[in-house]
Amino acid sequence: MIHYKSVMKRYFIIVILSLINIAAIQAQNITFTISAPNSTVEGGQIQVKYILKVVGNASNPSSPELNENIKGFEVVYGPAYSQSRSTTIINGNASSESNWIFTYTMIATAQGTFTIPAASIKIDGQNYKSNTAQVTVLPPDKDAKNNQKGGRPVQETTSSSTAANINPKDAFVRAIFSKTKVAEQEALVVTFRFYTVLNVREADKVEFPEFEGFITEDFELPSNRQWRLENFNGKNYQVIDIKKTLLFPQRSGKITIPSGKLDIIFAVKSGQVSDRFFGTYDVMSEVKRSLKTTPVTVDIEALHSGKPLNFSGAVGTFNFNSTISDTEVKANEAVTIKLDISGTGNLKLIKNPTIQFPTDMETYDPKVNNNFRLTENGLTGTRSIEYMFIPRYPGEYTIPPIEFDYYDIKEKKYKRLTTPPYNLKVDKDPNAGKNNSATSYMNQREVQVEQDIRYLKTNDYKFRRSSDFFIGSLANILWYLIPLILFIICSVIYRNQIKANADVIRMRTKKANKVASKRLKLAKKYLDTHNKDNFYKEVLRAVWGYLSDKLTIPVSDLNRENVESELTKYGAGEELINMYINILDTCEFAHYSPASGSNEAMDKTYSETVAAIDKMEKIIKKQL
């Protein structure tokens, strides 16, 4: 008996431990995924990361098992291992999350599109397998210079653009059409893609062309989309899609899509500056350029002759089905016929099929439900149309077949789809009176006849002399004279404004103080937040920009020597000139020296800059 109890106790403990292990396994949420760039250049290095995420408690995993013979790539290092763990407590319930990242460094050895294989990993006795990733390997630039990376020669893209001259091949925007010869109502896709090898600061303004003659549907691009590499005309560019639109041409003939416009601010080399501590270095300036797409002509072919009389305007490939809610009902009960048009094409532009309802039936406007998504070939999904009607009187009725005519874009011909007829049996409404079937529904409605006789107007009338005319009166003369005087005044003001804006040098000089003040306000914000790098950078831009506008010398041509000589011509004294030189030296030294730049020094620099600009403005006002 004692032996039996001990055995039962042992089994009970084993069952409890098993349940605990099962609960622990169920509490875990384990994912194992791959992260890799979508493109690279032949000879370039990429990092492929296998990420293991565990929600709950788990032991340390084993190293991933990866086949190192990967087509198109050579594994040169890995896996590099990193781990992070976090714990959160919500309403007294603690949960932990662990992340392990295994990084492999690979070199692309061939051109093409290759698959990075899945890796397997073992944790807590269970095997997990990751997904795969595709990487496109592009050819190197035909005119790029060689650089040594990872012991292998890699070609890097170079740029010859400067602040004064942006090479059109270094940055441009294209309107890429999926096809330029289509049939009327046939879908085509246009993608606006930006190409660049320059450093982009921001997009200032985007203007897309008007697609006259087309119905458009915009694709929803991901908000977190990233730059990718693309080889175009033998050169590798960083590209990003700005807009992607689905077009449905509404008429035949040739339609030219005008240019789209994109304003971009680049950071490019504007010159060189000599520094007593760091020697000569490049000065980067922000340059704004307007990029335009090339107009594209789309040839639209008219649909073939022989268009059916009830053509719905549908172009594509479709299926047609119908259902009815019930075929045996009582009078005054609602019946619904649902039509489903599914397929790919101009689903949103299709006219609703017509149903020939029998007389003495009350019909309602159809209810349309669209459930489709945008694809390269058009709208794909289902258009559902529900027709509700109410038979008012008993009897047997027949709803004839419903026809749907469309143009098959693949076979280039019209097709007709039909539904079967519906036989409807209507019984007497038990809640209706004896006259349920005596007269027609229309005859039971009350008819209100509008009165056709109107009474004569009996109100008082106002009379005026026949000799009173508006033409030639003072009011008539002022009606023409006042707009003429206003037009002359506006013309004089407008011409004076044009002359003032035409003097570019004068406008730059006039606005120099305002531009410098805006940059100093931004520098003051960085000063208040103790952001040293951005503070000195903005002060330096404010001083160089102010001197460039006042002295009418491009920033790329400014240096300490011509600044001193030009300020002397303006009548600036040696003290003011030394103030500007000291400000420039202080800012450049502080910007490139992380250890320098206390709060007191930043305050002093800001005060001296404001004072120097004020003194310069006073000297210029005395000369005017």
Side-chain angles (χ1 to χ4, degrees):
M1 185 68 180
I2 298 175
H3 177 70
Y4 174 77
K5 289 183 178 179
S6 62
V7 172
M8 292 300 295
K9 184 177 181 180
R10 186 181 304 170
Y11 283 146
F12 179 74
I13 294 173
I14 293 174
V15 170
I16 293 298
L17 292 176
S18 300
L19 292 175
I20 293 174
N21 290 332
I22 292 173
I25 293 173
Q26 290 177 346
Q28 293 177 355
N29 184 6
I30 300 176
T31 57
F32 188 40
T33 58
I34 186 174
S35 174
N38 52 24
S39 58
T40 186
V41 181
E42 183 182 5
Q45 289 186 356
I46 64 170
Q47 286 189 337
V48 177
K49 297 180 180 180
Y50 291 90
I51 304 171
L52 176 66
K53 179 179 178 180
V54 179
V55 178
N57 297 321
S59 60
N60 291 330
S62 62
S63 296
E65 296 181 4
L66 176 67
N67 182 10
E68 296 188 357
N69 296 323
I70 302 174
K71 185 178 180 181
F73 291 91
E74 177 184 345
V75 179
V76 296
Y77 181 75
Y81 167 80
S82 64
Q83 179 185 1
S84 64
R85 180 169 295 175
S86 62
T87 302
T88 58
I89 300 176
I90 301 176
N91 296 329
N93 298 321
S95 62
S96 61
E97 179 179 314
S98 301
N99 290 276
W100 289 269
I101 301 178
F102 305 89
T103 305
Y104 292 85
T105 302
M106 304 180 185
I107 293 181
T109 58
Q111 301 174 24
T113 300
F114 304 99
T115 299
I116 305 297
S120 60
I121 197 169
K122 190 173 185 179
I123 182 170
D124 290 339
Q126 296 290 328
N127 288 320
Y128 296 90
K129 192 174 183 180
S130 72
N131 56 323
T132 61
Q134 281 195 335
V135 180
T136 301
V137 181
L138 302 176
D141 285 351
K142 59 183 180 181
D143 57 350
K145 66 178 182 179
N146 289 328
N147 189 19
Q148 202 75 12
K149 282 189 178 181
R152 293 171 177 259
V154 179
Q155 289 189 327
E156 293 186 345
T157 304
T158 59
S159 170
S160 59
S161 296
T162 61
N165 182 24
I166 298 290
N167 190 337
K169 293 184 178 181
D170 287 345
F172 54 90
V173 61
R174 295 176 61 208
I176 306 172
F177 284 76
S178 59
K179 42 194 169 184
T180 56
K181 189 172 183 179
V182 294
E184 188 178 347
Q185 293 287 351
E186 180 183 358
L188 68 150
V189 178
V190 57
T191 304
F192 293 91
R193 186 169 296 167
F194 175 49
Y195 294 71
T196 184
V197 296
L198 303 176
N199 186 7
V200 178
R201 289 292 173 87
E202 63 176 304
D204 186 42
K205 188 177 181 182
V206 180
E207 294 180 358
F208 296 109
E210 294 291 337
F211 297 103
E212 185 178 354
F214 295 88
I215 297 293
T216 63
E217 290 284 342
D218 289 334
F219 285 86
E220 186 175 351
L221 298 177
S223 58
N224 60 343
R225 61 188 184 277
Q226 298 179 350
W227 295 85
R228 66 183 187 277
L229 277 175
E230 182 176 315
N231 189 279
F232 181 72
N233 289 339
K235 189 171 184 177
N236 290 324
Y237 293 89
Q238 291 287 341
V239 303
I240 191 169
D241 291 342
I242 306 170
K243 184 182 178 70
K244 189 174 182 180
T245 304
L246 189 66
L247 305 179
F248 294 98
Q250 299 300 297
R251 57 181 174 85
S252 59
K254 293 185 177 181
I255 301 179
T256 299
I257 309 298
S259 298
K261 183 181 178 184
L262 177 65
D263 290 346
I264 296 291
I265 298 177
F266 299 99
V268 294
K269 177 181 175 182
S270 61
Q272 290 184 332
V273 175
S274 298
D275 187 88
R276 65 180 67 177
F277 298 102
F278 302 101
T280 303
Y281 59 89
D282 294 336
V283 176
M284 305 299 289
S285 296
E286 291 186 352
V287 180
K288 182 178 179 180
R289 287 291 182 270
S290 293
L291 309 177
K292 293 184 177 181
T293 62
T294 302
V296 177
T297 299
V298 180
D299 189 2
I300 303 165
E301 180 183 1
L303 300 181
H304 294 176
S305 58
K307 183 183 300 184
L309 181 63
N310 294 325
F311 179 57
S312 63
V315 176
T317 304
F318 302 100
N319 294 316
F320 186 51
N321 297 303
S322 69
T323 56
I324 189 169
S325 60
D326 200 352
T327 57
E328 294 184 1
V329 296
K330 293 179 174 58
N332 299 320
E333 286 185 354
V335 183
T336 301
I337 292 180
K338 182 180 179 183
L339 305 179
D340 288 330
I341 304 172
S342 60
T344 299
N346 59 341
L347 277 169
K348 198 173 183 179
L349 308 177
I350 296 175
K351 293 188 295 184
N352 295 331
T354 302
I355 301 180
Q356 300 297 328
F357 288 103
T359 58
D360 294 342
M361 287 192 179
E362 184 176 353
T363 61
Y364 297 87
D365 293 335
K367 178 183 177 182
V368 180
N369 181 32
N370 293 320
N371 181 18
F372 40 67
R373 57 186 176 85
L374 275 66
T375 65
E376 298 287 338
N377 297 321
L379 299 172
T380 298
T382 303
R383 179 182 177 92
S384 299
I385 308 107
E386 293 185 1
Y387 295 84
M388 189 180 75
F389 62 97
I390 300 176
R392 292 299 182 181
Y393 303 100
E396 293 185 358
Y397 303 90
T398 298
I399 299 176
I402 307 166
E403 298 177 347
F404 173 67
D405 296 324
Y406 74 98
Y407 184 81
D408 192 316
I409 200 65
K410 293 181 178 179
E411 300 184 14
K412 303 293 183 183
K413 66 178 182 180
Y414 294 97
K415 287 186 176 181
R416 172 172 292 177
L417 302 175
T418 59
T419 66
Y422 291 110
N423 296 318
L424 188 64
K425 183 179 180 181
V426 181
D427 293 331
K428 183 179 179 181
D429 184 359
N431 298 321
K434 296 181 179 181
N435 296 327
N436 184 257
S437 59
T439 59
S440 68
Y441 171 70
M442 294 300 297
N443 291 334
Q444 292 184 30
R445 298 178 60 184
E446 294 183 359
V447 180
Q448 297 180 353
V449 180
E450 186 179 4
Q451 293 181 355
D452 58 353
I453 299 177
R454 301 298 181 191
Y455 289 101
L456 297 176
K457 188 171 182 180
T458 58
N459 295 336
D460 295 335
Y461 288 92
K462 293 182 179 179
F463 299 94
R464 65 179 179 181
R465 296 180 179 179
S466 59
S467 58
D468 292 341
F469 293 100
F470 177 74
I471 304 300
S473 64
L474 178 61
N476 178 241
I477 296 173
L478 292 177
W479 182 266
Y480 292 99
L481 186 60
I482 292 175
L484 178 62
I485 295 174
L486 292 176
F487 176 75
I488 295 172
I489 294 173
C490 292
S491 299
V492 172
I493 296 173
Y494 181 68
R495 291 177 64 86
N496 291 336
Q497 187 66 32
I498 291 176
K499 289 181 181 179
N501 292 335
D503 191 350
V504 178
I505 296 177
R506 180 184 175 188
M507 292 299 295
R508 284 187 59 188
T509 304
K510 185 177 179 180
K511 295 180 180 180
N513 189 27
K514 293 182 180 179
V515 175
S517 298
K518 289 182 180 180
R519 288 176 175 169
L520 287 176
K521 286 182 181 179
L522 182 57
K524 186 65 170 59
K525 293 181 180 179
Y526 292 134
L527 173 63
D528 295 338
T529 57
H530 308 292
N531 191 335
K532 180 183 73 65
D533 292 336
N534 287 329
F535 169 76
Y536 284 111
K537 179 180 177 182
E538 287 301 324
V539 172
L540 194 63
R541 289 177 60 194
V543 175
W544 279 119
Y546 178 78
L547 293 175
S548 173
D549 293 337
K550 284 296 181 183
L551 304 179
T552 64
I553 299 176
V555 177
S556 58
D557 296 334
L558 279 177
N559 53 53
R560 285 165 175 75
E561 290 74 16
N562 58 16
V563 166
E564 293 179 7
S565 61
E566 293 296 328
L567 286 175
T568 303
K569 292 180 182 179
Y570 265 86
E574 184 177 354
E575 180 183 356
L576 180 58
I577 295 174
N578 289 333
M579 284 182 69
Y580 277 107
I581 298 301
N582 289 333
I583 292 170
L584 294 173
D585 291 341
T586 301
C587 293
E588 290 174 355
F589 178 76
H591 184 58
Y592 293 97
S593 177
S596 63
S598 62
N599 292 338
E600 293 79 7
M602 293 166 65
D603 289 332
K604 182 180 178 183
T605 301
Y606 181 80
S607 301
E608 290 180 351
T609 304
V610 174
I613 293 176
D614 289 340
K615 290 181 180 180
M616 188 66 185
E617 289 295 316
K618 291 178 181 178
I619 293 174
I620 294 174
K621 288 181 180 179
K622 290 180 181 179
Q623 296 177 357
L624 296 176

mmCIF file of all heavy atoms in Angstrom, residues 349-377:
data_model
loop_
_atom_site.group_PDB
_atom_site.id
_atom_site.type_symbol
_atom_site.label_atom_id
_atom_site.label_comp_id
_atom_site.label_asym_id
_atom_site.label_seq_id
_atom_site.Cartn_x
_atom_site.Cartn_y
_atom_site.Cartn_z
ATOM 1 N N LEU A 349 -15.376 52.330 -62.568
ATOM 2 C CA LEU A 349 -16.020 53.139 -63.603
ATOM 3 C C LEU A 349 -17.145 52.405 -64.325
ATOM 4 O O LEU A 349 -17.698 52.922 -65.290
ATOM 5 C CB LEU A 349 -14.965 53.588 -64.628
ATOM 6 C CG LEU A 349 -13.719 54.271 -64.038
ATOM 7 C CD1 LEU A 349 -12.730 54.595 -65.143
ATOM 8 C CD2 LEU A 349 -14.106 55.531 -63.291
ATOM 9 N N ILE A 350 -17.489 51.216 -63.878
ATOM 10 C CA ILE A 350 -18.498 50.410 -64.565
ATOM 11 C C ILE A 350 -19.896 50.931 -64.240
ATOM 12 O O ILE A 350 -20.214 51.247 -63.098
ATOM 13 C CB ILE A 350 -18.366 48.928 -64.149
ATOM 14 C CG1 ILE A 350 -17.014 48.370 -64.616
ATOM 15 C CG2 ILE A 350 -19.505 48.099 -64.708
ATOM 16 C CD1 ILE A 350 -16.760 46.962 -64.132
ATOM 17 N N LYS A 351 -20.745 51.006 -65.271
ATOM 18 C CA LYS A 351 -22.149 51.344 -65.059
ATOM 19 C C LYS A 351 -22.901 50.119 -64.532
ATOM 20 O O LYS A 351 -22.611 48.988 -64.916
ATOM 21 C CB LYS A 351 -22.784 51.815 -66.372
ATOM 22 C CG LYS A 351 -22.229 53.133 -66.887
ATOM 23 C CD LYS A 351 -23.024 53.642 -68.070
ATOM 24 C CE LYS A 351 -22.905 52.709 -69.259
ATOM 25 N NZ LYS A 351 -23.597 53.244 -70.458
ATOM 26 N N ASN A 352 -23.863 50.380 -63.658
ATOM 27 C CA ASN A 352 -24.624 49.280 -63.073
ATOM 28 C C ASN A 352 -25.495 48.607 -64.133
ATOM 29 O O ASN A 352 -26.161 49.290 -64.933
ATOM 30 C CB ASN A 352 -25.516 49.801 -61.941
ATOM 31 C CG ASN A 352 -24.708 50.348 -60.787
ATOM 32 O OD1 ASN A 352 -23.590 49.902 -60.542
ATOM 33 N ND2 ASN A 352 -25.267 51.316 -60.082
ATOM 34 N N PRO A 353 -25.509 47.282 -64.167
ATOM 35 C CA PRO A 353 -26.401 46.586 -65.107
ATOM 36 C C PRO A 353 -27.860 46.919 -64.818
ATOM 37 O O PRO A 353 -28.250 47.235 -63.693
ATOM 38 C CB PRO A 353 -26.101 45.105 -64.846
ATOM 39 C CG PRO A 353 -24.757 45.083 -64.194
ATOM 40 C CD PRO A 353 -24.663 46.353 -63.406
ATOM 41 N N THR A 354 -28.657 46.849 -65.877
ATOM 42 C CA THR A 354 -30.088 47.172 -65.762
ATOM 43 C C THR A 354 -30.900 45.894 -65.595
ATOM 44 O O THR A 354 -30.684 44.905 -66.303
ATOM 45 C CB THR A 354 -30.570 47.929 -67.008
ATOM 46 O OG1 THR A 354 -29.792 49.111 -67.156
ATOM 47 C CG2 THR A 354 -32.032 48.310 -66.879
ATOM 48 N N ILE A 355 -31.847 45.925 -64.650
ATOM 49 C CA ILE A 355 -32.753 44.792 -64.426
ATOM 50 C C ILE A 355 -34.163 45.194 -64.856
ATOM 51 O O ILE A 355 -34.664 46.246 -64.459
ATOM 52 C CB ILE A 355 -32.751 44.370 -62.940
ATOM 53 C CG1 ILE A 355 -31.337 43.970 -62.489
ATOM 54 C CG2 ILE A 355 -33.714 43.212 -62.712
ATOM 55 C CD1 ILE A 355 -31.260 43.552 -61.036
ATOM 56 N N GLN A 356 -34.770 44.371 -65.678
ATOM 57 C CA GLN A 356 -36.137 44.625 -66.146
ATOM 58 C C GLN A 356 -37.127 44.023 -65.155
ATOM 59 O O GLN A 356 -37.468 42.841 -65.210
ATOM 60 C CB GLN A 356 -36.326 44.021 -67.549
ATOM 61 C CG GLN A 356 -35.395 44.567 -68.600
ATOM 62 C CD GLN A 356 -35.616 46.051 -68.845
ATOM 63 O OE1 GLN A 356 -36.736 46.567 -68.724
ATOM 64 N NE2 GLN A 356 -34.541 46.747 -69.212
ATOM 65 N N PHE A 357 -37.566 44.847 -64.201
ATOM 66 C CA PHE A 357 -38.516 44.369 -63.201
ATOM 67 C C PHE A 357 -39.936 44.351 -63.780
ATOM 68 O O PHE A 357 -40.292 45.212 -64.583
ATOM 69 C CB PHE A 357 -38.482 45.265 -61.966
ATOM 70 C CG PHE A 357 -37.234 45.106 -61.138
ATOM 71 C CD1 PHE A 357 -36.222 46.052 -61.201
ATOM 72 C CD2 PHE A 357 -37.074 44.016 -60.300
ATOM 73 C CE1 PHE A 357 -35.084 45.916 -60.438
ATOM 74 C CE2 PHE A 357 -35.931 43.869 -59.530
ATOM 75 C CZ PHE A 357 -34.930 44.814 -59.600
ATOM 76 N N PRO A 358 -40.744 43.403 -63.357
ATOM 77 C CA PRO A 358 -42.146 43.400 -63.791
ATOM 78 C C PRO A 358 -42.879 44.629 -63.255
ATOM 79 O O PRO A 358 -42.436 45.284 -62.312
ATOM 80 C CB PRO A 358 -42.710 42.107 -63.168
ATOM 81 C CG PRO A 358 -41.511 41.269 -62.875
ATOM 82 C CD PRO A 358 -40.402 42.224 -62.564
ATOM 83 N N THR A 359 -44.005 44.912 -63.870
ATOM 84 C CA THR A 359 -44.817 46.038 -63.409
ATOM 85 C C THR A 359 -45.408 45.725 -62.040
ATOM 86 O O THR A 359 -45.400 44.570 -61.586
ATOM 87 C CB THR A 359 -45.943 46.325 -64.416
ATOM 88 O OG1 THR A 359 -46.733 45.137 -64.562
ATOM 89 C CG2 THR A 359 -45.371 46.758 -65.751
ATOM 90 N N ASP A 360 -45.952 46.748 -61.402
ATOM 91 C CA ASP A 360 -46.560 46.629 -60.079
ATOM 92 C C ASP A 360 -45.560 46.213 -59.012
ATOM 93 O O ASP A 360 -45.913 45.572 -58.021
ATOM 94 C CB ASP A 360 -47.728 45.638 -60.090
ATOM 95 C CG ASP A 360 -48.882 46.144 -60.946
ATOM 96 O OD1 ASP A 360 -48.900 47.360 -61.225
ATOM 97 O OD2 ASP A 360 -49.735 45.332 -61.319
ATOM 98 N N MET A 361 -44.280 46.532 -59.254
ATOM 99 C CA MET A 361 -43.251 46.302 -58.237
ATOM 100 C C MET A 361 -42.597 47.630 -57.894
ATOM 101 O O MET A 361 -42.231 48.398 -58.793
ATOM 102 C CB MET A 361 -42.193 45.305 -58.710
ATOM 103 C CG MET A 361 -42.681 43.870 -58.751
ATOM 104 S SD MET A 361 -41.355 42.707 -58.964
ATOM 105 C CE MET A 361 -42.258 41.163 -58.950
ATOM 106 N N GLU A 362 -42.484 47.885 -56.617
ATOM 107 C CA GLU A 362 -41.848 49.120 -56.168
ATOM 108 C C GLU A 362 -40.339 48.891 -56.080
ATOM 109 O O GLU A 362 -39.876 47.997 -55.363
ATOM 110 C CB GLU A 362 -42.409 49.529 -54.805
ATOM 111 C CG GLU A 362 -41.873 50.860 -54.309
ATOM 112 C CD GLU A 362 -42.512 51.275 -53.008
ATOM 113 O OE1 GLU A 362 -43.468 50.586 -52.562
ATOM 114 O OE2 GLU A 362 -42.070 52.277 -52.418
ATOM 115 N N THR A 363 -39.563 49.671 -56.811
ATOM 116 C CA THR A 363 -38.103 49.495 -56.866
ATOM 117 C C THR A 363 -37.402 50.666 -56.192
ATOM 118 O O THR A 363 -37.950 51.761 -56.060
ATOM 119 C CB THR A 363 -37.628 49.371 -58.321
ATOM 120 O OG1 THR A 363 -37.966 50.571 -59.029
ATOM 121 C CG2 THR A 363 -38.265 48.166 -59.009
ATOM 122 N N TYR A 364 -36.166 50.427 -55.779
ATOM 123 C CA TYR A 364 -35.351 51.428 -55.094
ATOM 124 C C TYR A 364 -33.993 51.533 -55.783
ATOM 125 O O TYR A 364 -33.576 50.651 -56.540
ATOM 126 C CB TYR A 364 -35.165 51.056 -53.624
ATOM 127 C CG TYR A 364 -36.454 51.016 -52.841
ATOM 128 C CD1 TYR A 364 -37.229 49.847 -52.812
ATOM 129 C CD2 TYR A 364 -36.916 52.123 -52.156
ATOM 130 C CE1 TYR A 364 -38.414 49.802 -52.097
ATOM 131 C CE2 TYR A 364 -38.106 52.093 -51.440
ATOM 132 C CZ TYR A 364 -38.855 50.927 -51.413
ATOM 133 O OH TYR A 364 -40.018 50.886 -50.720
ATOM 134 N N ASP A 365 -33.295 52.630 -55.510
ATOM 135 C CA ASP A 365 -31.958 52.813 -56.086
ATOM 136 C C ASP A 365 -31.022 51.723 -55.564
ATOM 137 O O ASP A 365 -31.073 51.351 -54.389
ATOM 138 C CB ASP A 365 -31.398 54.188 -55.722
ATOM 139 C CG ASP A 365 -32.173 55.315 -56.380
ATOM 140 O OD1 ASP A 365 -32.774 55.045 -57.435
ATOM 141 O OD2 ASP A 365 -32.183 56.437 -55.843
ATOM 142 N N PRO A 366 -30.161 51.219 -56.441
ATOM 143 C CA PRO A 366 -29.268 50.133 -56.015
ATOM 144 C C PRO A 366 -28.217 50.621 -55.006
ATOM 145 O O PRO A 366 -27.823 51.779 -55.008
ATOM 146 C CB PRO A 366 -28.614 49.676 -57.319
ATOM 147 C CG PRO A 366 -28.696 50.864 -58.219
ATOM 148 C CD PRO A 366 -29.966 51.571 -57.854
ATOM 149 N N LYS A 367 -27.790 49.710 -54.168
ATOM 150 C CA LYS A 367 -26.723 49.965 -53.205
ATOM 151 C C LYS A 367 -25.451 49.312 -53.719
ATOM 152 O O LYS A 367 -25.427 48.107 -54.002
ATOM 153 C CB LYS A 367 -27.104 49.390 -51.838
ATOM 154 C CG LYS A 367 -26.039 49.573 -50.778
ATOM 155 C CD LYS A 367 -26.465 48.921 -49.465
ATOM 156 C CE LYS A 367 -25.373 49.026 -48.420
ATOM 157 N NZ LYS A 367 -25.768 48.343 -47.147
ATOM 158 N N VAL A 368 -24.382 50.113 -53.843
ATOM 159 C CA VAL A 368 -23.131 49.642 -54.446
ATOM 160 C C VAL A 368 -22.068 49.536 -53.360
ATOM 161 O O VAL A 368 -21.890 50.451 -52.552
ATOM 162 C CB VAL A 368 -22.657 50.587 -55.565
ATOM 163 C CG1 VAL A 368 -21.348 50.080 -56.171
ATOM 164 C CG2 VAL A 368 -23.729 50.705 -56.643
ATOM 165 N N ASN A 369 -21.361 48.419 -53.343
ATOM 166 C CA ASN A 369 -20.258 48.193 -52.407
ATOM 167 C C ASN A 369 -19.027 47.780 -53.202
ATOM 168 O O ASN A 369 -19.037 46.753 -53.886
ATOM 169 C CB ASN A 369 -20.629 47.115 -51.380
ATOM 170 C CG ASN A 369 -19.515 46.878 -50.380
ATOM 171 O OD1 ASN A 369 -18.771 47.799 -50.044
ATOM 172 N ND2 ASN A 369 -19.398 45.649 -49.899
ATOM 173 N N ASN A 370 -17.979 48.612 -53.127
ATOM 174 C CA ASN A 370 -16.738 48.331 -53.844
ATOM 175 C C ASN A 370 -15.712 47.731 -52.887
ATOM 176 O O ASN A 370 -15.426 48.299 -51.831
ATOM 177 C CB ASN A 370 -16.167 49.606 -54.459
ATOM 178 C CG ASN A 370 -17.050 50.145 -55.566
ATOM 179 O OD1 ASN A 370 -17.593 49.375 -56.356
ATOM 180 N ND2 ASN A 370 -17.204 51.458 -55.632
ATOM 181 N N ASN A 371 -15.144 46.621 -53.279
ATOM 182 C CA ASN A 371 -14.101 45.965 -52.481
ATOM 183 C C ASN A 371 -12.982 45.555 -53.434
ATOM 184 O O ASN A 371 -12.978 44.451 -53.970
ATOM 185 C CB ASN A 371 -14.670 44.750 -51.740
ATOM 186 C CG ASN A 371 -13.632 44.065 -50.875
ATOM 187 O OD1 ASN A 371 -12.591 44.652 -50.554
ATOM 188 N ND2 ASN A 371 -13.887 42.822 -50.504
ATOM 189 N N PHE A 372 -12.058 46.482 -53.668
ATOM 190 C CA PHE A 372 -10.963 46.173 -54.581
ATOM 191 C C PHE A 372 -9.704 46.892 -54.132
ATOM 192 O O PHE A 372 -9.722 47.767 -53.272
ATOM 193 C CB PHE A 372 -11.299 46.536 -56.034
ATOM 194 C CG PHE A 372 -12.046 47.831 -56.196
ATOM 195 C CD1 PHE A 372 -11.438 49.056 -55.897
ATOM 196 C CD2 PHE A 372 -13.358 47.837 -56.623
ATOM 197 C CE1 PHE A 372 -12.118 50.243 -56.053
ATOM 198 C CE2 PHE A 372 -14.043 49.034 -56.765
ATOM 199 C CZ PHE A 372 -13.434 50.229 -56.488
ATOM 200 N N ARG A 373 -8.607 46.506 -54.744
ATOM 201 C CA ARG A 373 -7.295 47.076 -54.454
ATOM 202 C C ARG A 373 -6.595 47.439 -55.758
ATOM 203 O O ARG A 373 -6.926 46.914 -56.831
ATOM 204 C CB ARG A 373 -6.434 46.092 -53.648
ATOM 205 C CG ARG A 373 -6.246 44.748 -54.332
ATOM 206 C CD ARG A 373 -5.516 43.753 -53.447
ATOM 207 N NE ARG A 373 -5.429 42.442 -54.069
ATOM 208 C CZ ARG A 373 -4.487 42.082 -54.927
ATOM 209 N NH1 ARG A 373 -3.531 42.943 -55.258
ATOM 210 N NH2 ARG A 373 -4.482 40.865 -55.449
ATOM 211 N N LEU A 374 -5.620 48.345 -55.655
ATOM 212 C CA LEU A 374 -4.902 48.810 -56.824
ATOM 213 C C LEU A 374 -3.782 47.832 -57.167
ATOM 214 O O LEU A 374 -3.017 47.409 -56.288
ATOM 215 C CB LEU A 374 -4.299 50.193 -56.590
ATOM 216 C CG LEU A 374 -5.216 51.388 -56.849
ATOM 217 C CD1 LEU A 374 -6.358 51.425 -55.849
ATOM 218 C CD2 LEU A 374 -4.437 52.690 -56.778
ATOM 219 N N THR A 375 -3.686 47.466 -58.447
ATOM 220 C CA THR A 375 -2.608 46.627 -58.951
ATOM 221 C C THR A 375 -2.045 47.256 -60.219
ATOM 222 O O THR A 375 -2.575 48.242 -60.731
ATOM 223 C CB THR A 375 -3.099 45.201 -59.256
ATOM 224 O OG1 THR A 375 -4.050 45.251 -60.342
ATOM 225 C CG2 THR A 375 -3.784 44.587 -58.042
ATOM 226 N N GLU A 376 -0.984 46.672 -60.725
ATOM 227 C CA GLU A 376 -0.361 47.183 -61.940
ATOM 228 C C GLU A 376 -1.286 47.071 -63.150
ATOM 229 O O GLU A 376 -1.158 47.835 -64.108
ATOM 230 C CB GLU A 376 0.944 46.422 -62.225
ATOM 231 C CG GLU A 376 2.010 46.562 -61.158
ATOM 232 C CD GLU A 376 2.661 47.927 -61.164
ATOM 233 O OE1 GLU A 376 2.602 48.590 -62.208
ATOM 234 O OE2 GLU A 376 3.228 48.339 -60.133
ATOM 235 N N ASN A 377 -2.230 46.124 -63.116
ATOM 236 C CA ASN A 377 -3.136 45.894 -64.247
ATOM 237 C C ASN A 377 -4.480 46.577 -64.082
ATOM 238 O O ASN A 377 -5.342 46.449 -64.933
ATOM 239 C CB ASN A 377 -3.344 44.389 -64.444
ATOM 240 C CG ASN A 377 -2.067 43.674 -64.811
ATOM 241 O OD1 ASN A 377 -1.261 44.186 -65.583
ATOM 242 N ND2 ASN A 377 -1.862 42.499 -64.222
#
